[in-house]
Amino acid sequence: GWNSTFFDAVVADPSINLKRVVLTQENIADEFRKAGLPLEIDYVSIDVDSIEAWLLLGLLQGGYRPRVFSVEFNTAFRPHDLVSHQKEWHPWNRSMVFGASAGTLNMVATMFGYKLVARVRKLDLFFVRADILDAVCPPSIQPEYMDHMHGVGSKILHGPPKSTEEAERLVDFPLALMGLTDAARKKAQLTLQEMGVRIGERMSKKRSTRPG
């Protein structure tokens, strides 16, 4: 059976091993250690509607190497976009300003030797550590990243940012990693413009952001 540990920023419940902790890039690996979780844990799931890419990065930077992990991704962005919510957590406002693009999460995963193996259509990406995957599935027959990306970024499901302030919580992840915050925000805004996103516009869930 499974031995599970949960983390939540608001609620604690010892009966189900739910710990009340505000996780950040800086503390997530330490909090895992405090909880007694092994470095090669079987499975990790990250879903906070905000700083998923930063938490994943912090966990892997901190020495953790889960065999499998899944992360919620932002389906509004195209497969090649490297966009993420800023490093600082902010509650989701039911717009497209949350989480990270599939490309951003794949970038972080690839940096630490993971391969994308599955996508739950509008929800999560599943990654497996490459050494484990390659041992049971020859690399020559493994699907490529883009093989999993059909339809991603073709529609905005949650609507555009409701204000400029909200839109500026999006950053270009590589630039943000370099500490170039202003440039990261500007590049993310250019991505929104390329996608035809209009800040504050009411949008049907079925409206496409690009032809097709």
Side-chain angles (χ1 to χ4, degrees), residues 69-85:
F69 66 81
S70 64
V71 191
E72 182 187 33
F73 75 107
N74 190 328
T75 60
F77 293 99
R78 302 160 297 186
H80 64 275
D81 291 327
L82 299 177
V83 176
S84 170
H85 190 279

Side-chain angles (χ1 to χ4, degrees), residues 46 50-57 60 69-74 79 81-84 99-112 114-116 123-127 145 173:
I46 302 177
S50 181
I51 58 171
E52 278 85 349
W54 301 101
L55 293 180
L56 175 61
L57 179 64
L60 298 175
F69 66 81
S70 64
V71 191
E72 182 187 33
F73 75 107
N74 190 328
D81 291 327
L82 299 177
V83 176
S84 170
S101 64
T104 294
L105 297 172
N106 188 63
M107 171 187 166
V108 176
T110 301
M111 286 167 56
F112 291 90
Y114 286 83
K115 295 181 180 181
L116 179 64
L123 297 173
D124 297 271
L125 301 177
F126 284 76
F127 295 87
Y145 166 72
F173 193 72

Side-chain angles (χ1 to χ4, degrees), residues 115-117 129-145 147-148:
K115 295 181 180 181
L116 179 64
V117 296
R129 213 171 66 205
D131 63 309
I132 295 173
L133 181 62
D134 293 349
V136 296
C137 182
S140 60
I141 64 172
Q142 293 172 17
E144 299 292 334
Y145 166 72
D147 294 331
H148 297 282

Side-chain angles (χ1 to χ4, degrees), residues 5-201:
T5 300
F6 305 93
F7 298 91
D8 189 271
V10 178
V11 179
D13 185 347
S15 70
I16 59 170
N17 209 17
L18 172 60
K19 302 178 183 299
R20 182 180 177 181
V21 181
V22 177
L23 296 176
T24 66
Q25 179 190 355
E26 290 75 20
N27 74 6
I28 185 171
D30 287 340
E31 293 297 338
F32 270 49
R33 289 188 178 90
K34 289 178 186 178
L37 301 175
L39 291 178
E40 290 196 13
I41 192 169
D42 288 322
Y43 173 63
V44 172
S45 172
I46 302 177
D47 183 348
V48 296
D49 294 331
S50 181
I51 58 171
E52 278 85 349
W54 301 101
L55 293 180
L56 175 61
L57 179 64
L59 186 68
L60 298 175
Q61 285 178 328
Y64 273 84
R65 293 295 182 271
R67 291 175 173 83
V68 180
F69 66 81
S70 64
V71 191
E72 182 187 33
F73 75 107
N74 190 328
T75 60
F77 293 99
R78 302 160 297 186
H80 64 275
D81 291 327
L82 299 177
V83 176
S84 170
H85 190 279
Q86 66 187 16
K87 186 176 179 179
E88 296 75 27
W89 181 86
H90 192 282
W92 183 40
N93 195 26
R94 298 194 174 277
S95 76
M96 65 183 291
V97 181
F98 72 94
S101 64
T104 294
L105 297 172
N106 188 63
M107 171 187 166
V108 176
T110 301
M111 286 167 56
F112 291 90
Y114 286 83
K115 295 181 180 181
L116 179 64
V117 296
R119 169 171 69 96
V120 177
R121 188 175 172 213
K122 299 175 183 177
L123 297 173
D124 297 271
L125 301 177
F126 284 76
F127 295 87
V128 174
R129 213 171 66 205
D131 63 309
I132 295 173
L133 181 62
D134 293 349
V136 296
C137 182
S140 60
I141 64 172
Q142 293 172 17
E144 299 292 334
Y145 166 72
M146 286 302 298
D147 294 331
H148 297 282
M149 291 294 110
H150 178 70
V152 171
S154 62
K155 295 179 181 178
I156 294 177
L157 299 178
H158 301 292
K162 295 178 175 63
S163 67
T164 300
E165 179 183 7
E166 183 179 31
E168 288 180 347
R169 290 200 288 271
L170 293 172
V171 296
D172 176 81
F173 193 72
L175 289 175
L177 278 181
M178 297 168 63
L180 303 174
T181 304
D182 289 342
R185 286 198 177 103
K186 289 178 181 177
K187 188 167 183 180
Q189 300 313 298
L190 288 175
T191 298
L192 293 180
Q193 292 176 23
E194 291 173 1
M195 295 169 61
V197 174
R198 297 180 181 179
I199 295 171
E201 181 183 41

